[in-house]
């Protein structure tokens, strides 16, 4: 049985997937919510939001992600960062997963990644859970209903949470597996109900395909000034650094909150929705995102709620710190209709510094920008990955190492060339700790971060006086209207100045040690920024 529109020449049986139970093609939101409720996958929340839990996996499982080692990608994959799987093991995994699905009900969405029609990737997502189909329908971009009759997918993703892998048989690490096969244009996900694995699977594909076409793939949010798409800003950062929150500025137009490309024409969103963290979400600081948690079809993951009133508890992290909501982009009032922007005028690199060393904002030279982009320093925050229970300092190159199939220099060189060609100003913004390290200091005030970003984006920050940071050499504003000048100089926020100096020296040494791996691959200017 099939429900919904589909290319009659592109059904699952045409892809060799047979023997299934009910197959539901391209159901829309009300149908998916009804199906998920009927199947007992979750609860209908206030406003028609869908409340669900993801079981054991409340974040990604990066150690269980594998790339199939085929001749066509052998020379281009960054194998030190991507676990290899043999083609033979993948074939067995694929066959076993399809056998497991025999007789089972599945949900199919035909979607695409990339708002720029010239560079979009058509993807078919097959899920075992109805709410996963709803989730990915929010997160990817939807063809018009008239387009579905001729849709032919470039890649297929099969997500089967009830399937448990066998490490000895399937060449993986555990019963959980995410296997990417570029040659067969397939992604297989087993034993994880965390929906973010689907979303990041598509992002990883885009991160491999687009750089081969000279297009920068970016783990960033993006917005532009009202009425001026040329005044585009991109915000690089790992989960928890503020990409979604800081780009959702009501005075600017939101292009997207997480994944973008930078082509010869400008910036374009890969996605059609947002996947926002909800832990301690504030109706005052983040009113637009907060409002989506009570809108129809929004997927609310791993949040506790009152059984009678259905009120969500935004402070409760008993299931995970990585509580989330997924919603279509148009739920944000200032979202771009086209999801397109110009060439970035400002590039913001967001870091969550658990050491309490970095200033709230710093201006970077192009060489320093590449240094900090390749370094990708931040702190993994609780819940984003399995086993992370408190912030951990980390270096995630390009602010997204888990999603980077190619070597970091491939992305770094593209950034360098595009910054040079279009004259973007680069900033490093610390949304982490001040007044001490994690456990002693406090989180950077979001009000101050927003004020500093506003000054950077409207150009007024360039008119202030700057000092040269003694630790990293970048420029730091000395004073900014309505901002406590001590906040701009992190050392002044520490009660124990000697402790700050020791912590800063420790962080500088960590940067140098990490960056040594890139020295053979970078030019003299970036090398000087690294050493100096």
């Amino acid at each position: 049985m099939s429900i919904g529109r589909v290319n009659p020449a592109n059904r699952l049986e045409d892809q060799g997937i047979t023997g299934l139970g009910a197959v539901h093609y391209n159901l829309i939101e009300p149908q998916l919510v009804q199906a998920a409720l009927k199947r007992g996958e979750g609860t209908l929340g206030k406003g028609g939001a869908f409340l669900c839990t993801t079981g054991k996996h409340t974040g990604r499982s990066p150690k269980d992600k594998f790339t199939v080692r085929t001749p066509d990608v052998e020379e281009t994959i960054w194998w030190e960062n991507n676990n290899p799987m043999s083609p033979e093991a993948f074939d067995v995994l694929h066959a076993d997963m399809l056998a497991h699905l025999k007789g089972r009900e599945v949900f199919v969405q035909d979607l695409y990644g990339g708002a720029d029609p010239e560079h979009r990737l058509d993807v078919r997502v097959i899920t075992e859970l109805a709410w996963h189909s709803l989730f990915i329908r929010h997160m990817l971009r939807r063809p018009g209903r008239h387009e579905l009759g001729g849709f032919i997918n470039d890649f297929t993703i099969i997500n089967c949470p009830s399937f448990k892998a066998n490490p000895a048989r399937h060449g993986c690490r555990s019963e959980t597996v995410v296997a990417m096969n570029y040659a067969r244009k397939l992604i297989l996900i087993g034993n994880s109900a965390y929906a973010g694995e689907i979303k990041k699977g598509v992002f990883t594909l885009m991160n491999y395909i687009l750089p081969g076409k000279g297009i920068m793939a970016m783990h960033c949010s993006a917005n532009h000034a009202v009425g001026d798409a040329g005044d585009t800003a991109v915000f690089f950062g790992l989960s928890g650094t503020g990409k979604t929150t800081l780009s959702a500025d009501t005075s600017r137009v939101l292009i997207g909150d997480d994944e973008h490309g930078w082509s010869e024409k400008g910036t374009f969103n890969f996605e059609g929705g947002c996947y926002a963290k909800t832990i301690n979400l504030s109706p005052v600081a983040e009113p637009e995102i907060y409002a989506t948690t009570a809108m129809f079809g929004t997927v609310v993951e791993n949040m506790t709620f009152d059984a009678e009133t259905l009120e969500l508890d935004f402070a409760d992290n008993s299931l995970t710190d990585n509580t989330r909501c997924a919603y279509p982009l148009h739920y944000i009032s200032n979202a771009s209709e086209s999801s397109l922007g110009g060439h970035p005028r400002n590039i913001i690199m967001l870091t969550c510094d658990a050491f309490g060393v970095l200033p709230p904002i710093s201006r970077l030279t192009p060489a320093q920008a590449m240094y900090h982009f390749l370094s990708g320093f931040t702190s993994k925050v609780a819940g984003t990955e399995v086993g992370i229970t408190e912030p951990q300092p980390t270096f995630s190159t390009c602010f997204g190492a888990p999603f980077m199939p190619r070597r970091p220099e491939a992305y770094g060189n593209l950034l360098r060339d595009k910054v040079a060609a279009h004259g973007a100003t680069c900033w490093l913004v610390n949304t982490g700790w001040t007044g001490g390290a994690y456990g002693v200091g406090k989180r950077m005030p979001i009000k101050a971060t927003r004020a500093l970003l506003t000054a950077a984006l409207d150009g007024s920050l360039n008119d202030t006086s700057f000092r040269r940071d003694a630790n990293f050499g970048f420029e730091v504003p000395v004073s900014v209207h309505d901002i406590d000048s001590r906040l701009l100089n992190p050392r002044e926020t520490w009660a124990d100045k000697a402790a700050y100096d020791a912590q800063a020296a420790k962080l500088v040494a960590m940067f140098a040690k990490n960056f040594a791996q890139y020295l053979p691959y970078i030019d003299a200017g970036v090398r000087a920024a690294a050493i100096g």
Side-chain angles (χ1 to χ4, degrees), residues 331-349:
Y331 278 11
I332 301 297
S333 63
N334 61 323
S336 167
E337 292 185 5
S338 68
S339 293
L340 302 173
H343 297 290
R345 188 172 296 173
N346 286 280
I347 295 174
I348 315 297
M349 298 183 188

Side-chain angles (χ1 to χ4, degrees), residues 215-277:
I215 299 168
M216 178 73 179
M218 305 180 290
H219 188 210
C220 70
S221 56
N223 62 26
H224 67 73
V226 175
D228 184 5
D231 181 17
T232 294
V234 299
F235 302 74
F236 286 102
L238 290 179
S239 175
T241 56
K243 290 195 315 301
T244 299
T245 297
L246 295 173
S247 60
D249 182 340
T250 55
S251 68
R252 294 172 67 85
V253 176
L254 177 67
I255 301 171
D257 83 322
D258 196 41
E259 303 169 4
H260 293 80
W262 185 356
S263 72
E264 69 285 352
K265 294 184 294 184
T267 309
F268 62 97
N269 191 358
F270 291 168
E271 300 185 306
C274 300
Y275 192 32
K277 288 177 72 73

Side-chain angles (χ1 to χ4, degrees), residues 441-461:
K442 296 181 178 180
R443 196 74 189 260
M444 195 71 67
I446 191 171
K447 183 178 180 180
T449 301
R450 285 194 184 278
L452 291 168
L453 277 174
T454 297
L457 298 182
D458 68 20
S460 61
L461 193 58

Side-chain angles (χ1 to χ4, degrees), residues 7 50 80 83 90 97 123 126 146 151 153 204 220 260 419 478 480 503:
N7 182 347
F50 185 76
E80 293 86 351
N83 299 320
F90 179 88
M97 188 173 285
V123 181
I126 304 166
H146 65 283
F151 185 95
N153 49 296
T204 304
C220 70
H260 293 80
V419 167
V478 175
V480 178
Q503 192 82 308

Side-chain angles (χ1 to χ4, degrees), residues 179-492:
M180 307 192 62
N181 191 322
Y182 292 97
R184 294 193 59 183
K185 297 187 175 182
L186 272 171
I187 299 177
L188 306 178
I189 303 171
N191 196 46
S192 175
Y194 180 65
E197 294 285 14
I198 315 173
K199 165 184 153 66
K200 289 306 186 187
V202 177
F203 185 40
T204 304
L205 287 178
M206 300 293 275
N207 278 336
Y208 182 75
I209 294 168
L210 293 184
K213 300 164 64 175
I215 299 168
M216 178 73 179
M218 305 180 290
H219 188 210
C220 70
S221 56
N223 62 26
H224 67 73
V226 175
D228 184 5
D231 181 17
T232 294
V234 299
F235 302 74
F236 286 102
L238 290 179
S239 175
T241 56
K243 290 195 315 301
T244 299
T245 297
L246 295 173
S247 60
D249 182 340
T250 55
S251 68
R252 294 172 67 85
V253 176
L254 177 67
I255 301 171
D257 83 322
D258 196 41
E259 303 169 4
H260 293 80
W262 185 356
S263 72
E264 69 285 352
K265 294 184 294 184
T267 309
F268 62 97
N269 191 358
F270 291 168
E271 300 185 306
C274 300
Y275 192 32
K277 288 177 72 73
T278 57
I279 192 71
N280 296 320
L281 191 65
S282 165
V284 177
E286 299 128 331
E288 293 252 28
I289 300 173
Y290 187 92
T292 68
T293 61
M295 291 184 177
F296 180 78
T298 292
V299 175
V300 178
E301 289 181 357
N302 297 316
M303 289 188 69
T304 60
F305 56 91
D306 187 285
E308 294 183 8
T309 66
L310 300 177
E311 291 286 345
L312 297 170
D313 189 338
F314 290 86
D316 190 339
N317 64 349
S318 58
L319 294 178
T320 177
D321 285 283
N322 194 36
T323 56
R324 296 267 184 173
C325 65
Y327 50 89
L329 197 60
H330 67 261
Y331 278 11
I332 301 297
S333 63
N334 61 323
S336 167
E337 292 185 5
S338 68
S339 293
L340 302 173
H343 297 290
R345 188 172 296 173
N346 286 280
I347 295 174
I348 315 297
M349 298 183 188
L350 299 170
T351 180
C352 175
D353 173 22
F355 283 83
V357 169
L358 295 176
I361 195 166
S362 311
R363 187 169 61 187
L364 308 175
T365 66
Q368 289 169 340
M370 188 168 178
Y371 174 70
H372 284 278
F373 181 69
L374 289 176
S375 296
F377 170 72
T378 190
S379 300
K380 290 181 180 178
V381 294
T384 304
E385 292 182 9
V386 175
I388 303 297
T389 57
E390 63 180 40
Q392 294 182 4
T394 188
F395 291 89
S396 185
T397 189
C398 308
F399 295 98
F403 326 117
M404 300 297 163
R406 297 176 182 267
R407 278 202 58 85
E409 302 81 34
Y411 308 99
N413 290 337
L414 278 169
L415 180 69
R416 176 200 62 200
D417 295 345
K418 290 186 178 295
V419 167
H422 302 288
T425 301
C426 301
W427 306 88
L428 182 69
V429 172
N430 175 25
T431 61
W433 276 257
T434 186
Y438 170 78
V440 177
K442 296 181 178 180
R443 196 74 189 260
M444 195 71 67
I446 191 171
K447 183 178 180 180
T449 301
R450 285 194 184 278
L452 291 168
L453 277 174
T454 297
L457 298 182
D458 68 20
S460 61
L461 193 58
N462 286 314
D463 297 329
T464 65
S465 297
F466 286 79
R467 65 176 177 85
R468 185 178 184 276
D469 182 79
N471 298 306
F472 291 95
F474 41 52
E475 294 181 315
V476 182
V478 175
S479 63
V480 178
H481 181 65
D482 285 341
I483 300 294
D484 186 342
S485 60
R486 292 177 302 170
L487 191 67
L488 297 170
N489 188 347
R491 190 173 188 271
E492 294 303 311

